[in-house]
Amino acid sequence: LVALGGDHSITLPLLRALANRRGAPALVHFDAHVDTWPDNFGQVYAHGSVFYHSIEDGLLEPRRRIQIGIRSPVERKVHDWTLARGVTIMTAPEVHEAGPAAVAARIRDVVGQAPVYLSFDIDVLDPAFAPGTGTPEIGGLASWQAQAILRRLQGLKFVGMDVVEV
């Protein structure tokens, strides 16, 4: 399953279809935002709530979810809810400090041998590298960092992916 384009709300129906066919996968989520708000600007189903609903609906493997590059402001209750559901968060500053090899190792530790869905929100990249996103946040990953991390994920059992928010 491969999807390119659209906003992050397209991921929810993709995960529903995938979970229905293959079971709940692990998640590797590159993004500037956690996307675990129960609603987004008053909309229950929107690009900022996709992983709230996917977690609540059991579409993802419990405790095998990692978010990479998070750096936008988030309410404490949303942050705490996300962590309480077993999501591992690596902020952009943590990624910058750790380096690609350590980030890839952490991803492997979290997802283990489970089938994996990769969701790549282009705003994980710094706006200098991805000016076309609708929700830019300063301090993001450089293109080379994202490439170096992804290259080190070779051998994971990917069963689906998307690239969104372009």
Side-chain angles (χ1 to χ4, degrees):
L1 175 61
V2 176
L4 305 172
D7 76 12
H8 224 154
S9 63
I10 68 163
T11 303
L12 185 58
L14 296 172
L15 287 173
R16 284 185 176 141
L18 186 62
N20 185 48
R21 186 172 183 130
R22 301 188 66 132
L27 174 71
V28 176
H29 172 209
F30 285 80
D31 204 325
H33 312 89
V34 293
D35 289 356
T36 55
W37 288 273
D39 62 61
N40 195 214
F41 299 107
Q43 294 181 348
V44 175
Y45 293 99
H47 68 103
S49 63
V50 62
F51 294 111
Y52 172 84
H53 294 293
S54 63
I55 291 168
E56 287 291 292
D57 294 350
L59 303 177
L60 296 169
E61 179 70 28
R63 306 223 175 260
R64 297 219 178 269
R65 301 175 295 248
I66 185 166
Q67 298 180 321
I68 307 297
I70 304 300
R71 63 190 182 281
S72 74
V74 62
E75 295 173 76
R76 174 57 57 187
K77 68 180 180 179
V78 172
H79 182 265
D80 291 348
W81 182 92
T82 304
L83 292 177
R85 298 309 179 280
V87 178
T88 299
I89 297 174
M90 287 194 77
T91 65
E94 290 171 331
V95 171
H96 296 317
E97 189 163 320
V103 174
R106 183 69 178 125
I107 291 169
R108 288 178 177 284
D109 288 345
V110 170
V111 302
Q113 298 299 312
V116 180
Y117 187 89
L118 171 66
S119 187
F120 193 96
D121 185 325
I122 201 72
D123 69 25
V124 72
L125 300 175
D126 189 87
F129 301 98
T133 186
T135 52
E137 301 280 350
I138 63 167
L141 279 61
S143 300
W144 73 265
Q145 289 173 302
Q147 287 179 324
I149 294 165
L150 290 168
R151 285 186 184 120
R152 286 172 170 85
L153 299 181
Q154 182 179 5
L156 291 182
K157 185 180 175 186
F158 288 105
V159 294
M161 66 150 305
D162 61 52
V163 178
V164 296
E165 298 293 343
V166 178

